[in-house]
């Protein structure tokens, strides 16, 4: 059965459940992209974000259009890769694919909430691509409401789609670099290693050193300290 026989669904129907249950032990493939290309959509972009969970820093999204004949070997969910491997793949992806990066600031996160800010960063990443894609594969179960392009949400997309996996690598490496830079400006919070996540040392630093302009004030641990 075609992956799209049931339509472009937010939650995978019964015929897709086996695919999603196997995601954790599968390497991503190019089958989503190939099916769309066979339907005349030559430019398929995978989109993912990094930084929804941290207490500090922006949320970063990336959009990647891979060339079918030029896919870097070893691309998979960025969370399954070492930093060294991600950095090596980032270089190959930026050389061999079309890449767009978008960001939503801490101020935007606090103003419109983290979900909408993540979607805003995704739309900006798509807009930053050199050329408009024909279709977009979104990691997750929702399509950004402001996205004016055909799109398919894919739960655990970074483990299933090579384009989304490539986007996850680009987004994470970019955000990690930003947090490393912020760690030099605001030492003591451990952002060079925890990347802003609410680790024990980060929360202790919040209590001892206070809230910085880079913290998300709408997030409960930060809000409670304020």
């Amino acid at each position: 059965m075609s992956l799209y026989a049931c339509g472009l669904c937010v939650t995978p129907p019964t015929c897709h459940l086996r695919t999603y249950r196997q995601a954790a032990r599968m390497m991503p493939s190019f089958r989503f992209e190939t099916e769309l290309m066979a339907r005349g959509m030559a430019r398929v972009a995978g989109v993912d974000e990094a930084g929804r969970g941290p207490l500090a820093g922006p949320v970063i999204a990336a959009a990647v259009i891979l060339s079918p004949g030029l896919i870097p070997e070893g691309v998979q969910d960025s969370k399954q890769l070492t930093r060294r491997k991600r950095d090596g793949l980032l270089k190959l992806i930026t050389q061999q694919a079309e890449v767009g990066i978008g960001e939503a600031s801490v101020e935007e996160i606090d103003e419109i909430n983290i979900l909408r800010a993540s979607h805003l960063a995704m739309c900006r990443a798509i807009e930053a691509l050199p050329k408009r894609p024909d279709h977009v594969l979104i990691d997750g179960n929702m399509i950004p409401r402001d996205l004016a392009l055909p799109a398919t949400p894919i739960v655990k997309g970074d483990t299933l789609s090579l384009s989304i996996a490539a986007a996850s690598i680009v987004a994470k490496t970019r955000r990690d670099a930003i947090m490393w830079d912020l760690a030099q400006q605001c030492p003591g919070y451990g952002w060079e290693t925890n990347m802003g996540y609410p680790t024990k040392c980060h929360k202790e630093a919040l209590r001892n050193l206070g809230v910085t302009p880079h913290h998300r004030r709408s997030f409960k641990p930060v809000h409670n300290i304020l």
Side-chain angles (χ1 to χ4, degrees), residues 30-168:
F30 208 59
R31 66 186 183 279
F32 288 88
E33 296 85 342
T34 299
E35 285 201 13
L36 288 164
M37 290 174 182
R39 292 160 55 190
M41 288 166 265
R43 298 174 53 75
V44 180
V47 181
D48 199 5
E49 53 75 26
R52 281 184 62 169
L55 304 179
V59 60
I60 304 295
V64 175
I65 299 178
L66 294 172
S67 172
L70 202 63
I71 300 174
E73 184 177 353
V75 169
Q76 60 175 300
D77 174 15
S78 63
K79 297 184 292 296
Q80 305 302 318
L81 299 169
T82 64
R83 178 177 177 178
R84 182 177 180 180
K85 186 66 174 175
R86 284 195 301 269
D87 289 344
L89 284 168
L90 174 67
K91 183 176 181 180
L92 292 175
I93 292 167
T94 54
Q95 289 175 343
Q96 300 176 3
E98 297 178 39
V99 176
I101 297 175
E103 174 179 333
S105 67
V106 169
E107 292 77 16
E108 288 171 322
I109 292 169
D110 287 337
E111 180 180 354
I112 62 177
N113 76 45
I114 184 59
L115 175 61
R116 289 198 59 199
S118 297
H119 286 177
L120 176 61
M122 287 181 173
C123 289
R124 288 171 174 169
I126 296 165
E127 291 170 0
L129 286 167
K131 294 182 181 179
R132 182 185 178 95
D134 298 316
H135 197 95
V136 180
L137 301 175
I138 303 283
D139 183 52
N141 63 356
M142 296 179 66
I143 297 173
R145 66 186 189 187
D146 295 326
L147 179 60
L149 286 170
T152 304
I154 303 177
V155 177
K156 297 188 182 298
D158 49 7
T159 67
L160 295 169
S161 159
L162 277 168
S163 297
I164 296 178
S168 78

Side-chain angles (χ1 to χ4, degrees), residues 9 38-39 67 69 101 135 151 180 191 195 216:
C9 48
R39 292 160 55 190
S67 172
I101 297 175
H135 197 95
W180 191 91
W191 292 340
M195 305 308 169
R216 303 170 180 178

Side-chain angles (χ1 to χ4, degrees), residues 83 176 179-180 183-184 186-196:
R83 178 177 177 178
D176 285 357
M179 294 310 298
W180 191 91
Q184 314 314 304
C186 303
Y189 296 90
W191 292 340
E192 64 274 24
T193 55
N194 63 46
M195 305 308 169

